Amino acid sequence: MWPLSRLSIAALGFCSGVSAQSPHPNSSDSNYFLPNTTGVRLQHGFETVLVQPYGYDGFRVRPWASRPPNGNEISFLYDPPLEDTTIDGSQDLTLRNGNTIVKTFSANGDNVTNVRFTFYRVDDDDSESLLTNEYAPIKSLNPRYYEWTGAGYEFSAAFSFSTTPDEQIYGTGTQQDHMVNKKGMVIDMINFNSHIPTPVFMSSKGYAFVWNSASEGEMESGQLRNRFTSKSTTLVDYAIVSAPVGDYDTLQRRLSAMTGRAPTPPDWSLGYLHSKLRYENQSELIQLAQNFHDYKIPVSMLVVDYQSWAHQGDWALDPGLWPNVSYMSQRVKDLTGAEIMASLWPSVENASDNYATIYIRDYDATKADARQFLWSNLYEHHYINGIKNFWIDQADGGNLGEAYQNNGQSSFIQSLPNPISDALYHAGTQKSVGKLYPWAHQQAIEEGLRNATGTEMGTACDYVSLSRSGYIGSQRFCSMIWSGDTTAVWETLSAQVASGLSAAETGWGWWTVDAGGFQGEPTVSWSNNFDEEPYRELHVRWQQWTTFLPFMRNHGSRACNTQSAYTRDNEPWTYGAANTPTIVSYITLRYTLAPYLKAIFSQFSITGRSMMRPLYMDFSVSDPVIVEMTRNNSNYTTQ
C-alpha cells in the first residue's frame, strides 16, 4: 500500500459508520460459508501468485514477476492481511469464500508454469456457474503475460479472461459514447477532458471485477476475451466478487466494501448549484447574489471559475479584482444563504510566488508535501475567508497540454504529432502511476477539509470539491465528479445519460453535469447561444433533467447575439421571459426533493446502492426486453 499522510492512511482502512458490513466475514455470519483458507501463494519460475479470500464472496489475486511486493505499492482497495501458505504450481486447488470459488489447474498436465485460474459462483441449488477463467486457447499467448521494456523491476502486463458473446459489461468509468453496455469496446486508460476510464465493471453473469492498477493501459471487452493491460508496474492486482444473476445491489455492496463507501453530502449541496464561465470580480458576484435574492430564486452555491487569480499557480483570488473575500463571502451568505466555490488549476507559471517554492509546472498530487502545500494556500487565501468549497479543474494529470494554459507552452504541446515524454511524479511516471493523479488531487482537498473541520474520513461532509476526473474509489471523498466540457447539442445531452449510469455502475454516486452543455458545437449555428430559440429549448430540457441527478448544477461558456458583459450570461432569467418560470419551477422542485435526496444519499453511504439506476438493475431478470435494449444500447433512460 502506498504510504500516505496521517489522514489518508485512515482513508485506506475501513471506517466505522461507513460500511454496513465488515470488510471480512466472521463467525457471527451463521449462513455464510467461511473461507477455507487465508490465502495461497503459488510459486513457479519467476512468477509468484498470491490468491486470497477477499471481503464477502470474493477473491483477490496478486501476481508479480521477480521482485516481491515491498509494502509501498499503490492500491485503491482496502488491503487484507498477507496471510498465505506457499505451494508450487503442480497442485490443483479449490478455494471457497462465501458463494465464490476459485479453482486452479495445470493447462499442460505436469507443466507447472501453466497454472490457470477459474472462478465460479455457487448457486442456491449448490450447482456451480462459471463466471470467468483465464483465457488460454490452444497455442495462444499466456493469459498472464509479462514483458520487460528496459532495465529494472517494472514490467508491462496483459491479463486475459474468458467471456461470451452474450455477456454484458457495465461500468468502466465514463466515456462520451452513448453506451451503458461496454461489450465490444477497447478503452484507453488515460484521462482527459470528459474521459475517465476506470477498470471497474459489473457483469450480467453475476460478478464484478476491479483491475487495481495505477498504470496507464487498456481495457478490452471482446466477444471471447476480456483483457486488461498495465504499461508499467511491479505488481498485478485484481479482485473479483459474485452475486446471484440480476442482483446488482449486492454487487454494488461488495464493490463499495472493497473500494470505499461514500460519505453523505452536506444538506446545502442538494439544492441548486450555479456557475458560468466566468464571474469576473467581487462586485459582479455580489450583484449576482443580489439578483437571486431579488428574483426570489433559491440557490445553494455560487462559483468563481478559472482565471480569477493574478497568476497561474497562486491558488488565491486576484486581490485587484477580489479585494475583500471575507466580506464578499458573508454578503453572499446574507443575501442567499449560498456557499461559494472557487476554481483551482494544478499548473504553475513563473510569475507566481509559488513557482519558486515548488519549481514545477504542474503541482505533484502524488506527493504528500505537495498536497499539504496546495492546501496551505487554499486555506490561507480562501478557507479562512469563507470560501470552503473547491473546484479542482484540470485534474486529469499528464502532459495533455490544457493544464499548461498561461505557461506559454500550450501551442507547443498541442502542435506535437507524438506524445511528449512521461510526466514524472514523486510516485512514478505518467505511464506507471498516471491513474493515481486525479485520485490524489481529490485526496488533497479531502485531507485539507477534514483537518480544517476536525472530521473523520467517511463521516458526513461539511463542504465539497468538484473534480473533472477520478478513479477507483473516488466515491470515498467529499467530491463530485462531473462529465467534463461537453458540447451544447441534443446528441450530447443524450450521451450524458449513459455517462451518468456508467459512473454509477463504477461506484461514483456523486455525479453531475454542466447543464446546457459547456461549449458550442462549431457545426451547429445556434449551439450554446442563449439568444437563439433552439438553444433555449435545449437548455431548459437539460436543466429540467439535472433536477433529478445527484447534484443539480448549471455551468457553461455561453454565446449570444448581443453581449452585455465581459462573459455571457447563464442565469435562470437569461433564457427568455417565457422560459424563466419553467426553469425556476424546477429549481424550486429540487428543494422539495431534499428529504428524498438525503434518504437515498444515506442509503448509498451505508450500502453502496446506486442512486442513478439503469433499467437493467431492477428489471433484467423479469423483463427480457430490457435485457435486449441494454445489450444493444438502445434508447432507454433512467427510472
Side-chain angles (χ1 to χ4, degrees), residues 117-282:
F117 296 95
T118 305
F119 299 92
Y120 298 88
R121 180 188 56 251
V122 179
D123 294 319
D124 289 342
D125 61 0
D126 289 329
S127 63
E128 297 176 5
S129 296
L130 176 65
L131 301 174
T132 188
N133 57 271
E134 292 183 317
Y135 179 76
I138 299 298
K139 299 182 180 180
S140 67
L141 286 175
N142 196 305
R144 303 192 304 275
Y145 188 80
Y146 308 90
E147 183 177 1
W148 282 261
T149 56
Y153 291 105
E154 290 196 358
F155 54 84
S156 65
F159 276 47
S160 298
F161 302 88
S162 68
T163 181
T164 55
D166 63 338
E167 182 177 22
Q168 299 183 33
I169 302 296
Y170 314 123
T172 76
T174 63
Q175 302 87 40
Q176 298 291 323
D177 58 10
H178 296 264
M179 297 176 67
V180 170
N181 175 22
K182 303 296 184 174
K183 188 70 168 180
M185 295 289 289
V186 177
I187 301 171
D188 294 325
M189 284 199 289
I190 181 170
N191 292 11
F192 54 86
N193 196 332
S194 77
H195 185 81
I196 320 176
T198 301
V200 176
F201 74 83
M202 297 189 299
S203 164
S204 60
K205 289 188 172 184
Y207 73 93
F209 184 93
V210 180
W211 179 256
N212 183 30
S213 173
S215 170
E216 293 183 351
E218 287 183 344
M219 295 179 281
E220 171 194 327
S221 178
Q223 293 300 300
L224 300 177
R225 179 182 73 171
N226 291 330
R227 184 171 179 261
F228 295 83
T229 70
S230 293
K231 289 183 178 180
S232 182
T233 189
T234 59
L235 175 70
V236 176
D237 187 352
Y238 67 87
I240 185 170
V241 294
S242 76
V245 170
D247 188 356
Y248 295 101
D249 286 340
T250 294
L251 285 181
Q252 289 278 295
R253 189 182 186 99
R254 302 290 187 255
L255 278 173
S256 58
M258 295 191 297
T259 62
R261 295 269 162 80
T264 53
D267 290 350
W268 62 261
S269 69
L270 303 181
Y272 173 64
L273 314 180
H274 180 79
S275 179
K276 78 165 185 176
L277 190 157
R278 57 192 168 90
Y279 295 104
E280 293 295 313
N281 54 54
Q282 176 175 310

Side-chain angles (χ1 to χ4, degrees), residues 485-619:
D485 294 350
T486 52
T487 54
V489 290
W490 289 100
E491 293 80 3
T492 303
L493 170 57
S494 174
Q496 302 320 292
V497 176
S499 180
L501 295 177
S502 294
E505 295 153 351
T506 307
W508 306 332
W510 284 41
W511 186 83
T512 188
V513 297
D514 290 348
F518 173 73
Q519 63 194 53
E521 165 55 53
T523 63
V524 178
S525 62
W526 52 261
S527 176
N528 225 26
N529 188 328
F530 63 72
D531 284 330
E532 298 291 335
E533 286 302 324
Y535 178 67
R536 288 181 173 183
E537 180 183 0
L538 172 63
H539 181 89
V540 170
R541 297 304 186 198
W542 208 317
Q543 189 77 71
Q544 288 172 316
W545 180 59
T546 63
T547 307
F548 308 104
L549 294 182
F551 296 96
M552 184 184 192
R553 175 176 172 270
N554 180 22
H555 179 67
S557 177
R558 304 292 177 237
C560 61
N561 296 333
T562 303
Q563 189 166 335
S564 60
Y566 179 71
T567 58
R568 274 75 67 186
D569 296 334
N570 188 40
E571 294 71 42
W573 50 87
T574 299
Y575 294 91
N579 292 318
T580 300
T582 302
I583 295 173
V584 172
S585 71
Y586 276 83
I587 293 174
T588 303
L589 173 61
R590 176 72 182 192
Y591 286 88
T592 67
L593 292 173
Y596 167 73
L597 292 167
K598 287 192 284 186
I600 60 172
F601 268 106
S602 176
Q603 185 180 57
F604 176 58
S605 178
I606 294 170
T607 69
R609 185 181 190 271
S610 292
M611 297 179 290
M612 295 182 288
R613 302 183 65 81
L615 294 176
Y616 74 79
M617 291 194 78
D618 297 294
F619 301 105

Side-chain angles (χ1 to χ4, degrees), residues 440-481:
H441 201 9
Q442 290 176 294
Q443 181 190 19
I445 307 304
E446 182 77 7
E447 290 171 334
L449 287 174
R450 291 298 186 182
N451 286 323
T453 58
T455 57
E456 293 294 325
M457 186 85 173
T459 60
C461 307
D462 295 318
Y463 307 105
V464 300
S465 67
L466 171 69
S467 179
R468 199 174 74 184
S469 196
Y471 200 48
I472 300 167
S474 280
Q475 69 272 5
R476 70 183 69 172
F477 303 128
C478 299
S479 186
M480 296 180 265
I481 291 175

Side-chain angles (χ1 to χ4, degrees), residues 28 79-80 85 92 99 105 124 158 219 274 332 337 358 375 381 388 394 440 509 512 517 555 567 577:
S28 65
D79 285 347
T85 301
D92 291 345
N99 288 328
F105 66 96
D124 289 342
M219 295 179 281
H274 180 79
V332 168
I358 63 175
W375 176 255
H381 301 304
K388 301 180 179 182
Q394 306 295 331
T512 188
H555 179 67
T567 58

